Amino acid sequence: MDAMYRHERHIYDLTRKYYLLGRDRLIAELDPPRGGTVLEIGCGTGRNLLAVRRRYPEARLYGLDISEAMLITARAHSLGQDITYARADAVDFDPQALFGEASFDRIFISYALSMIPSWQGVLASAAGMLAPGGELH
């Protein structure tokens, strides 16, 4: 994934806004509890987490991606925004070790499942990381 996104990460958001529809509606419907935890799996450039930060300023935000190249961009875009990013395989990661959180109030995945061969494993893993009353979007 790093080879794929090494250069594309610089124009990714600009080129995707015309066909990655529904992301802003998804974010509007997250509605995490005040001070709740939100994890984006396949966070890419951090675009979505920045939108979550604007809409839910008291949420604790985390982003996971397998591409270090995309995470470099996400971290640069998110300076001063208190968003924690980590590199890992979405199918098999330890949220406590990466983020200091065992579970999340909201987990969302926006257009990343099509890039993950074992997408069913991602969904199963994410469902197992939901806090009581948590939601997978």
Side-chain angles (χ1 to χ4, degrees):
M1 296 308 284
D2 282 336
M4 179 176 167
Y5 290 123
R6 181 175 297 118
H7 301 292
E8 189 175 340
R9 67 189 172 97
H10 299 291
I11 60 166
Y12 185 88
D13 291 328
L14 180 64
T15 61
R16 298 310 193 270
K17 72 180 182 179
Y18 299 107
Y19 63 91
L20 294 184
L21 307 174
R23 295 182 297 173
D24 294 327
R25 189 178 86 209
L26 177 148
I27 290 165
E29 294 174 357
L30 284 175
D31 196 26
R34 181 170 284 225
T37 53
V38 178
L39 169 66
E40 181 178 15
I41 295 176
C43 65
T45 64
R47 179 256 187 219
N48 294 333
L49 285 169
L50 287 169
V52 173
R53 170 58 68 226
R54 286 189 295 275
R55 187 165 187 103
Y56 308 105
E58 295 181 14
R60 298 187 327 256
L61 306 182
Y62 305 93
L64 180 86
D65 207 286
I66 199 163
S67 170
E68 186 59 35
M70 290 296 251
L71 289 171
I72 289 168
T73 298
R75 289 179 185 113
H77 287 169
S78 301
L79 286 176
Q81 295 299 315
D82 193 26
I83 300 172
T84 302
Y85 294 100
R87 181 175 188 250
D89 184 329
V91 177
D92 185 31
F93 70 96
D94 179 353
Q96 185 70 47
L98 288 179
F99 301 117
E101 301 284 349
S103 61
F104 302 91
D105 297 300
R106 301 292 182 271
I107 298 175
F108 72 102
I109 308 166
S110 172
Y111 293 100
L113 288 177
S114 64
M115 301 291 292
I116 303 170
S118 54
W119 60 270
Q120 298 96 332
V122 174
L123 292 175
S125 179
M129 293 178 194
L130 289 172
E135 298 174 4
L136 175 59
H137 292 253

